[in-house]
Amino acid sequence: MVSISLAGRVALVTGAGGDLGRGIALCLARAGARVLVNDRALERAQRTCEMVSEAGGAALADGSDVTDAAAVATMTARAQQEFGRLDILVNNAGGIRDALIERMSDADWDQVCNLNLKAAFVCARAATPLLRRSSAGRVVNIASMAYRGNVGQSNYAAAKAGLVGLTRSLGLELARDGITVNCVAPGLIETPKSASLPDAVRERLIRTTPMRRMGTIDDIAHAVLFFASDLAAFASRQVLHVSGGMEGF
Ligand SMILES: NC(=O)c1ccc[n+]([C@@H]2O[C@H](COP(=O)([O-])OP(=O)(O)OC[C@H]3O[C@@H](n4cnc5c(N)ncnc54)[C@H](O)[C@@H]3O)[C@@H](O)[C@H]2O)c1
């Protein structure tokens, strides 16, 4: 029987005190999953947990830095201790430090690659033994349409393109365990941060999006829910562009 319900499942969403991560955590919780809500900014993770609770769901906050392998090992062990299992890992934590190439520092490069790419590897490695025990193990990586290239984002684009490579390799490695690994690549999404874009930039981006609008946080959360659910049991190693038809910046 096909079901969109995640009842009985446990999800870990990284960076879930932020805009998209919070929406993803809420969406998975509304579908019945219990959620370990990670964010290095613990108070933001706690706020997400309160919102899950208000929506009738169950969540626990975790303040681990996902670029720190020791902290990540403790975090995944918590999923096992507190919830008894882990079925779904959403590698959502990410961020930018934009600069044109000659102005991009080593620190800009390292920080962006560590957060957007290495953290996903570290979390997937720590979660794999638990996901193997699930009958419906899922990894969903949050990339960006910038993986196809964007001016001033060579670090971010390279990290997100790397995340696509990680998705395709890990999907092969874990297929025999019934674990699917997929990627969601958001286009321009309406968030408090994007509201601060200069009007001209915002208008240009909307004009170059075939659907002529920005995406919503729910547009992304619903794509993650699809990959996390039984509906996507046979879909793996895919990159879903959730971008209103936009193919690149
Ligand atoms: N917002 C968009 O328009 C958009 C578009 C394309 C892709 N994305 C991707 O979606 C994901 C979420 O983006 P967002 O806009 O919600 O970002 P956000 O900045 O609102 O949230 C990111 C969260 O990650 C947390 N974080 C940062 N470093 C961390 C670390 N080392 N360990 C744990 N948590 C850490 C931050 O505290 C923050 O709460 C990112 O991977 C981003 O690249 C976003």
Side-chain angles (χ1 to χ4, degrees), residues 15 18-20 39-40 44 64-66 92 143 156 160 193:
D19 298 322
L20 296 193
D39 203 293
R40 192 176 55 178
R44 287 218 286 266
S64 303
D65 174 345
V66 288
N92 165 79
Y156 185 66
K160 293 301 195 184
K193 267 199 309 297

Side-chain angles (χ1 to χ4, degrees), residues 15 17-24 92 94 96 142 156 186-199 202 205-206 213-221 242:
D19 298 322
L20 296 193
R22 177 170 287 163
I24 292 166
N92 165 79
I96 54 176
I142 308 301
Y156 185 66
L188 182 64
I189 305 302
E190 186 91 67
T191 65
K193 267 199 309 297
S194 58
S196 65
L197 282 174
D199 283 351
R202 205 182 145 82
L205 287 169
I206 291 173
R213 69 166 175 90
M214 296 175 88
T216 66
I217 292 172
D218 274 350
D219 286 328
I220 304 307
V242 184

